[in-house]
Amino acid sequence: MEDVHDDVGGEFRGREMAVSESDAHESDYAVQNSEVDDTTDVQASREEDFQGIPWDRLSIPREKYRQTRLEGYKNYENIPNSGEGSGKDCSITEKGSLYYEFQCNTRSVKPTIHHFQLRNLVWATSKHDVYLMSNFSVIHWSSLSCTTSEILNVSGHVAPSEKHPGSLLEGFTQTKVSSLAVKDKLLVAGGFKGELICKHLGQPGVSFCSRTTDDNAVKNAVEIYDNPSGAAHFTASSNDCGVRDFDMETFQLSKHFRFPWPANHTSLSPDGKLLVVVGDNPDGMLVDAQNGKTLTPLCGHLDFSFASAWHPDGVTFATGNQDKTCRVWDVRNLSRSVAVLKGNLGAIRSIRYTSDGQYMMMAEPVDFVHVYDVKSGYEKEQEIDFFGEISGISFSPDTESLFIGVRDLTYGCLLEYGRQKCVA
């Protein structure tokens, strides 16, 4: 993962054109000094723009602006021309399916991003409860009460209220959150300087604070999971080439694996035996989750990877890369990918499966989220098309809802979609 200095906006503009493209053109579709209301499914059904963009009052129609974005967006690459080189392997998909239908666009929620390559900052714990980053705060959004509440504020001083071995009792000040995970009643946030902050939802204060001592220890991803015995753990993938596993009851480090390159994302198989590790190398790795030994490399991507996810069946998994592709793999034959799915504009920065395994969702840095029908062999997809940077994506655990965090100076929001009951 690229190092990012304090001037986050400058880094966005100098690296991946997500912010610069969005911000440079926001005047094209923003109405100055006007309040933008939420958009409901009823309004969208009347052919009103679901983001509330008043195209009829602007100098450029939506179709033309979309074409301008498609032609002018510059994807960030660590390996030159990786996006062009990956096209020859891509699967042909049939677009136009509707698996999740638009429900609401909530603008009282303002998602933000601190690092342009890290986009896993939205988590749904139910079809009504979503957690996301907004500047220096972790925000909870309830679609039932239509209210937001601040769960954690790291703009000032944060220190643990509990005592655990290895916990930094002095805490941290002004933590820039690079990664987030929320599951059940547990929250873990990772920071730019190796910080880890753990909190029990519903309880006051913070339970645990820790910091990796390495200077280049950005926490690129954190994932909460239940091990085979039912105990809650979390993994932290770091820029110091380490993947650490913590027990969330004692907050003690249980495993620490080291790899040849920065680890940008890891995913544990449903049975807890295999770990997918992707990072600053075109080839990912499938490793033994007990000892960290590499079982086989994952060859096919042409750039660095920042996303991975397991299908609930424990047989297939997916990886997302800056070469604009998501590759689907089968552990029974890893010599080639089962499917290679291409984005429209840029890197695949986040991947999620529904808990029933029916759908897989992948997010580009801006404008596009793709939902694939797994049972069709990933040959059919729903393409969700909007304008703005993507801070994160999440299915609700019951698969009924889909959420997208959109960062935009004027139209920043949380998009909510509901699962279709009958899909032709």
Side-chain angles (χ1 to χ4, degrees), residues 250-264:
T250 63
F251 298 106
Q252 297 305 290
L253 180 67
S254 59
K255 298 170 189 172
H256 183 189
F257 303 145
R258 293 175 175 85
F259 298 99
W261 27 257
N264 294 330

Side-chain angles (χ1 to χ4, degrees), residues 87-131:
K88 64 182 187 307
D89 295 330
C90 291
S91 310
I92 297 175
T93 60
E94 178 186 332
K95 297 182 180 181
S97 297
L98 183 63
Y99 308 128
Y100 283 81
E101 190 169 20
F102 174 78
Q103 297 294 318
C104 186
N105 173 0
T106 304
R107 290 192 186 82
S108 60
V109 180
K110 298 293 184 183
T112 56
I113 303 162
H114 281 302
H115 194 292
F116 74 98
Q117 291 172 309
L118 307 178
R119 307 297 188 95
N120 289 298
L121 300 175
V122 175
W123 294 84
T125 57
S126 81
K127 63 181 179 182
H128 301 302
D129 299 283
V130 186
Y131 297 82

Side-chain angles (χ1 to χ4, degrees), residues 57-346:
R57 294 158 55 191
L58 302 178
S59 60
I60 183 170
R62 190 187 196 282
E63 294 77 13
K64 186 175 180 180
Y65 186 63
R66 167 52 67 216
Q67 191 60 35
T68 299
R69 296 270 278 195
L70 288 170
E71 294 173 354
Y73 184 85
K74 184 179 179 181
N75 179 47
Y76 179 74
E77 300 172 338
N78 285 98
I79 299 177
N81 303 314
S82 63
E84 287 70 31
S86 64
K88 64 182 187 307
D89 295 330
C90 291
S91 310
I92 297 175
T93 60
E94 178 186 332
K95 297 182 180 181
S97 297
L98 183 63
Y99 308 128
Y100 283 81
E101 190 169 20
F102 174 78
Q103 297 294 318
C104 186
N105 173 0
T106 304
R107 290 192 186 82
S108 60
V109 180
K110 298 293 184 183
T112 56
I113 303 162
H114 281 302
H115 194 292
F116 74 98
Q117 291 172 309
L118 307 178
R119 307 297 188 95
N120 289 298
L121 300 175
V122 175
W123 294 84
T125 57
S126 81
K127 63 181 179 182
H128 301 302
D129 299 283
V130 186
Y131 297 82
L132 63 140
M133 287 305 305
S134 183
N135 297 312
F136 283 93
S137 297
V138 178
I139 299 296
H140 168 247
W141 163 253
S142 169
S143 62
L144 279 178
S145 61
C146 295
T147 58
T148 59
S149 56
E150 186 179 69
I151 302 301
L152 177 66
N153 188 316
V154 295
S155 62
H157 183 246
V158 174
S161 57
E162 303 174 13
K163 292 184 178 180
H164 296 278
S167 185
L168 292 177
L169 298 182
E170 65 270 26
F172 309 120
T173 300
Q174 200 172 54
T175 304
K176 282 187 176 179
V177 173
S178 55
S179 53
L180 178 72
V182 185
K183 186 177 186 292
D184 299 327
K185 294 294 182 179
L186 301 171
L187 180 153
V188 180
F192 271 56
K193 296 180 179 180
E195 303 98 330
L196 283 172
I197 300 173
C198 301
K199 176 179 175 59
H200 287 91
L201 299 179
Q203 296 182 16
V206 167
S207 299
F208 179 77
C209 290
S210 177
R211 188 199 301 272
T212 307
T213 56
D214 192 289
D215 290 337
N216 188 24
V218 181
K219 290 293 177 280
N220 295 328
V222 287
E223 296 277 336
I224 302 171
Y225 71 94
D226 293 328
N227 71 9
S229 65
H233 280 238
F234 74 88
T235 57
S237 308
S238 302
N239 230 37
D240 64 358
C241 306
V243 174
R244 296 166 175 83
D245 186 285
F246 288 82
D247 183 321
M248 288 208 71
E249 182 177 353
T250 63
F251 298 106
Q252 297 305 290
L253 180 67
S254 59
K255 298 170 189 172
H256 183 189
F257 303 145
R258 293 175 175 85
F259 298 99
W261 27 257
N264 294 330
H265 200 274
T266 57
S267 293
L268 185 71
S269 62
D271 63 5
K273 295 180 179 180
L274 300 172
L275 192 68
V276 175
V277 184
V278 298
D280 285 6
N281 190 290
D283 296 343
M285 291 186 290
L286 187 67
V287 307
D288 187 313
Q290 300 307 309
N291 55 33
K293 292 183 179 179
T294 301
L295 301 175
T296 183
L298 305 172
C299 303
H301 283 303
L302 303 179
D303 210 306
F304 297 173
S305 294
F306 286 83
S308 62
W310 279 88
H311 187 280
D313 65 9
V315 175
T316 54
F317 60 90
T319 54
N321 192 274
Q322 291 183 157
D323 64 7
K324 300 184 184 180
T325 70
C326 167
R327 285 181 175 264
V328 181
W329 310 82
D330 188 317
V331 295
R332 296 165 297 188
N333 181 8
L334 293 169
S335 62
R336 62 189 301 274
S337 305
V338 173
V340 184
L341 309 170
K342 186 80 167 181
N344 293 328
L345 285 171

Side-chain angles (χ1 to χ4, degrees), residues 8-63:
V8 177
E11 286 297 320
F12 271 64
R13 283 186 285 276
R15 296 187 185 280
E16 180 172 341
M17 299 298 287
V19 169
S20 57
E21 282 288 325
S22 297
D23 291 354
H25 295 295
E26 271 180 352
S27 58
D28 292 339
Y29 61 88
V31 177
Q32 301 299 320
N33 301 318
S34 64
E35 292 294 327
V36 183
D37 296 326
D38 292 353
T39 307
T40 65
D41 56 341
V42 175
Q43 291 170 302
S45 68
R46 296 199 299 258
E47 297 187 356
E48 295 181 31
D49 185 84
F50 71 94
Q51 286 188 270
I53 303 174
W55 297 104
D56 58 337
R57 294 158 55 191
L58 302 178
S59 60
I60 183 170
R62 190 187 196 282
E63 294 77 13

